[in-house]
Amino acid sequence: MNLRDLRYLLAVAEHEHFGRAARACGVSQPTLSVQIRKLEDVLGVVLFERGGKVAAPTAACRQLLDHARAAVTAAEGVLATARSLRDPLAGRFRLGVIPTLAPYLLPLVFGPLREALPSLELEPWEDQTAALLERLRAHELDAVLLATDETAPDLMGVPLFAEPFLAALPPEHPLAAREAVAETDLARDILVLSDGHCLRDQALEACGQTTALGAALRASSLTTLLNMVAAGYGTTLIPGLAAGAAQDAGIVLRPLTTWTGRTIRIVWRAHYPQRPAAEAVGEVIARRLRGYTESTAATAA
Amino acid sequence: MNLRDLRYLLAVAEHEHFGRAARACGVSQPTLSVQIRKLEDVLGVVLFERGGKVAAPTAACRQLLDHARAAVTAAEGVLATARSLRDPLAGRFRLGVIPTLAPYLLPLVFGPLREALPSLELEPWEDQTAALLERLRAHELDAVLLATDETAPDLMGVPLFAEPFLAALPPEHPLAAREAVAETDLARDILVLSDGHCLRDQALEACGQTTALGAALRASSLTTLLNMVAAGYGTTLIPGLAAGAAQDAGIVLRPLTTWTGRTIRIVWRAHYPQRPAAEAVGEVIARRLRGYTESTAATAA
DNA sequence: GGGTCTCGATAGGTGACGCCTATCGATATC
DNA sequence: GATATCGATAGGCGTCACCTATCGAGACCC
């Protein structure tokens, strides 16, 4: 049994006439006769009483019509839904973003994304790199924004923009008097985020060390870290996009004497079929941040 | 797009694996790969993300699954319903019966019919011959029980039993003293049913006349007629199966000197596809009435 | 790190079947 | 009785779903 057969069944039942039903179906009358006959054989039920003025649906046929109609309607639902899903730049797009980037980047790019990709429903998800990659591989995210460089054979991605690090100092800190700060100068009293944040490792590496002040001071969020710096507990490196938040917290920012920073990439599964969507999202973000990267690079120079 | 394609779609989505889904569908893995690929082309949507450990349904695919499931379920509903309707001796059977027969025959045959054809839901419909034939031709009845002999090219039927006529007399009527009554003796004061009842014409014909007592006395039902006879307004001919009711009304019954009666037939449309059901119903009625016809014939003789 | 296994895609061949046109037989209509 | 209509049948044809065999990519494992 076939969807086509059911369509034929419905047509003949509606027109009560093989010829007209055939015309409605766009086939010849013999075709319809044969197919209905086969359907009757398959079902083991006589569907129409022929020979009178009309081809009258039998009682059995009438009992089947509702099911047949439901099947045809559902099948058309498949086609209609598929048509509405056809645009790869439409639908839900779950984007993972690391916590040291999300609060500062998303407000900048939400507007441009909505404007450039109006049918794409962006659903941000904030988590640390490892968790994001796990969810990405589990098909629970469509793409992620990362600040690390590692590659994997099952993933691919493109860099979007370079984000400089800035020295964050309490106003009364001796280094605050300088125009620019050397990373190694921060090493003495640098505060870092807790384990799992990629920014933690990057800040430590920039300062040329692998341990920082006591674990008790490890902040679990960048906001906490900024507040701790503002309170005079130490210094830190913050990503450039967080500059506004840092200044709001009463922190002095200084560029580093040699440019240091991280590169933000968008990453997706190698087999991800909606690659155009991921690339489009990345493109919008990169375009929005293009001017920013150049200006901060100029400031740091 | 095809029901088969939707079944394949559901299978792959469920197993998240082409090979296992193919085994579940009873086809080879290449078949499934090709068909899914074609379905993706038709829908314009990528359904599965291949290449990882599993063939993961895409977001678009998941949105289509409900529709696909509904279509497949409805199609299976068609098959299941058809299976339950396959027995031609099952289902609703609308049987038209003339009013001078129905009240006396149906109580006799209901039991045997239910016993012999337990899956047949008998739905009686009582009306006069012309109305019954109209409904029969309009497919609103499956068969009718008639007492007339006319045939039509679009109808067919078989005789079931012969029903004798009996003279119905008021107890004080002069003819009540005789063993048997001649039809012509009844002619003087015979009462008949109103227009449209076949029994009216048959009674008049048996008496060799075309008009009866004044139109005002024409009864619209056999029960009324019997009550009028019992009240002494005149005589009449009644069909044998109504004998019990007539005696209950206090009427004297006498056989006719020469056998006279009507033949009850079951009639259906020539193209009626459930002919076996009609024949089976007729057969049960005929068998139930076989002894009856012989015994009354003996009585009359 | 090269052999092995698994998975899905591809190639080529085959049979089934849905479709067509032409025609028939039956029935209704004039 | 001639004509028109309706559904069934016959014969031919092209598509397509299916198969087996094979490939290429990726994971796994001594």
Side-chain angles (χ1 to χ4, degrees):
Chain A
M1 194 184 59
N2 210 317
L3 272 176
R4 183 178 5 92
D5 299 332
L6 297 183
R7 274 187 250 271
Y8 291 167
L9 165 66
L10 293 176
V12 177
E14 186 191 346
H15 291 91
E16 299 200 342
H17 188 289
F18 279 72
R20 279 192 287 277
R23 230 169 302 134
C25 293
V27 297
S28 69
Q29 169 265 315
T31 297
L32 209 57
S33 286
V34 170
Q35 292 309 115
I36 291 286
R37 182 65 217 284
K38 284 187 185 173
L39 184 60
E40 287 180 326
D41 288 346
V42 169
L43 299 181
V45 163
V46 178
L47 294 169
F48 296 99
E49 183 173 333
R50 292 99 156 151
K53 290 181 180 296
V54 297
T58 62
C61 176
R62 276 192 294 272
Q63 289 200 254
L64 298 176
L65 286 180
D66 282 344
H67 291 284
R69 231 185 308 272
V72 171
T73 304
E76 277 166 7
V78 171
L79 288 173
T81 307
R83 223 184 332 270
S84 74
L85 293 172
R86 198 164 295 174
D87 183 3
L89 301 184
R92 197 172 56 153
F93 189 87
R94 292 155 306 178
L95 181 66
V97 190
I98 53 174
T100 54
L101 179 64
Y104 318 110
L105 176 68
L106 291 181
L108 294 179
V109 298
F110 249 127
L113 280 171
R114 187 181 310 239
E115 192 178 337
L117 306 167
S119 321
L120 204 70
E121 298 165 37
L122 197 70
E123 231 178 57
W125 177 269
E126 199 174 313
D127 217 328
Q128 295 178 354
T129 304
L132 289 183
L133 288 175
E134 191 179 331
R135 295 192 92 88
L136 181 66
R137 288 193 164 101
H139 297 83
E140 291 166 6
L141 292 174
D142 292 289
V144 296
L145 295 182
L146 300 181
T148 53
D149 294 328
E150 310 102 73
T151 60
D154 61 334
L155 300 178
M156 54 184 301
V158 292
L160 301 181
F161 63 94
E163 184 182 26
F165 291 146
L166 300 175
L169 312 163
E172 66 277 8
H173 197 279
L175 292 174
R178 307 197 187 168
E179 275 292 313
V181 174
E183 298 92 309
T184 46
D185 291 337
L186 293 172
R188 278 183 303 124
D189 52 2
I190 193 166
L191 302 174
V192 293
L193 288 168
S194 55
D195 261 2
H197 286 283
C198 57
L199 181 57
R200 166 191 163 88
D201 305 326
Q202 290 162 342
L204 289 176
E205 188 196 349
C207 304
Q209 58 182 106
T210 53
T211 58
L213 288 176
L217 291 178
R218 288 175 191 164
S220 62
S221 79
L222 196 52
T223 306
T224 306
L225 190 63
L226 290 174
N227 288 338
M228 287 170 62
V229 170
Y233 281 97
T235 67
T236 194
L237 280 184
I238 64 159
L241 286 174
Q247 286 169 331
D248 289 346
I251 286 176
V252 172
L253 295 178
R254 291 289 176 266
L256 301 177
T257 48
T258 61
W259 197 93
T260 309
R262 59 183 188 178
T263 299
I264 305 299
R265 290 184 308 148
I266 186 168
V267 174
W268 59 85
R269 294 184 297 280
H271 296 291
Y272 181 59
Q274 311 248 50
R275 172 175 176 164
E279 288 178 326
V281 167
E283 173 60 26
V284 171
I285 296 176
R287 191 164 51 235
R288 172 67 183 84
L289 272 294
R290 195 160 295 155
Y292 161 79
T293 304
E294 283 154 9
S295 70
T296 51
T299 306
Chain B
M1 191 184 61
N2 210 317
L3 271 176
R4 182 177 7 93
D5 299 333
L6 296 183
R7 274 187 250 271
Y8 291 167
L9 166 64
L10 293 176
V12 177
E14 185 191 345
H15 291 92
E16 299 199 343
H17 188 288
F18 279 72
R20 277 192 289 278
R23 231 169 301 134
C25 293
V27 297
S28 70
Q29 168 266 314
T31 297
L32 209 58
S33 285
V34 170
Q35 292 310 114
I36 292 287
R37 184 64 218 284
K38 284 187 184 174
L39 184 60
E40 286 180 327
D41 288 347
V42 169
L43 298 181
V45 163
V46 178
L47 295 169
F48 297 98
E49 183 172 332
R50 291 101 157 147
K53 289 181 181 293
V54 296
T58 62
C61 176
R62 276 192 293 273
Q63 289 200 252
L64 297 177
L65 287 180
D66 282 344
H67 292 283
R69 229 185 309 272
V72 171
T73 304
E76 278 166 6
V78 172
L79 288 174
T81 307
R83 223 185 332 271
S84 74
L85 293 171
R86 196 164 297 172
D87 183 3
L89 302 185
R92 196 173 54 154
F93 188 87
R94 294 155 305 178
L95 180 66
V97 189
I98 53 174
T100 53
L101 180 65
Y104 318 109
L105 177 68
L106 292 181
L108 294 179
V109 298
F110 248 128
L113 280 170
R114 187 182 309 239
E115 192 179 337
L117 306 167
S119 321
L120 203 70
E121 299 165 36
L122 196 70
E123 235 179 53
W125 178 271
E126 198 175 313
D127 217 328
Q128 295 178 355
T129 304
L132 290 183
L133 288 174
E134 193 180 330
R135 295 192 93 87
L136 181 66
R137 288 193 164 100
H139 296 84
E140 291 165 5
L141 292 174
D142 291 290
V144 295
L145 295 182
L146 300 181
T148 53
D149 294 329
E150 309 101 75
T151 60
D154 61 334
L155 300 178
M156 56 184 299
V158 291
L160 302 181
F161 63 94
E163 185 182 24
F165 290 147
L166 298 175
L169 312 163
E172 66 278 7
H173 195 280
L175 292 175
R178 304 194 189 173
E179 276 291 315
V181 175
E183 299 95 307
T184 47
D185 291 337
L186 293 172
R188 281 183 299 123
D189 53 359
I190 194 166
L191 301 173
V192 293
L193 289 167
S194 55
D195 262 2
H197 285 283
C198 56
L199 181 57
R200 165 192 165 86
D201 306 325
Q202 291 163 341
L204 289 178
E205 189 196 350
C207 303
Q209 57 182 107
T210 54
T211 58
L213 288 176
L217 290 178
R218 288 176 192 163
S220 63
S221 79
L222 196 51
T223 305
T224 307
L225 191 62
L226 291 174
N227 287 338
M228 288 169 62
V229 170
Y233 283 97
T235 66
T236 195
L237 281 184
I238 64 159
L241 285 173
Q247 285 168 333
D248 289 349
I251 285 176
V252 172
L253 296 178
R254 291 289 175 266
L256 300 176
T257 48
T258 59
W259 196 93
T260 308
R262 58 184 189 179
T263 298
I264 305 300
R265 290 184 308 149
I266 186 168
V267 174
W268 59 85
R269 294 183 296 281
H271 296 291
Y272 181 60
Q274 310 248 50
R275 172 174 176 165
E279 288 178 327
V281 167
E283 173 61 25
V284 171
I285 296 177
R287 191 164 51 234
R288 173 69 184 84
L289 271 294
R290 196 161 294 155
Y292 162 78
T293 304
E294 283 154 8
S295 70
T296 51
T299 306

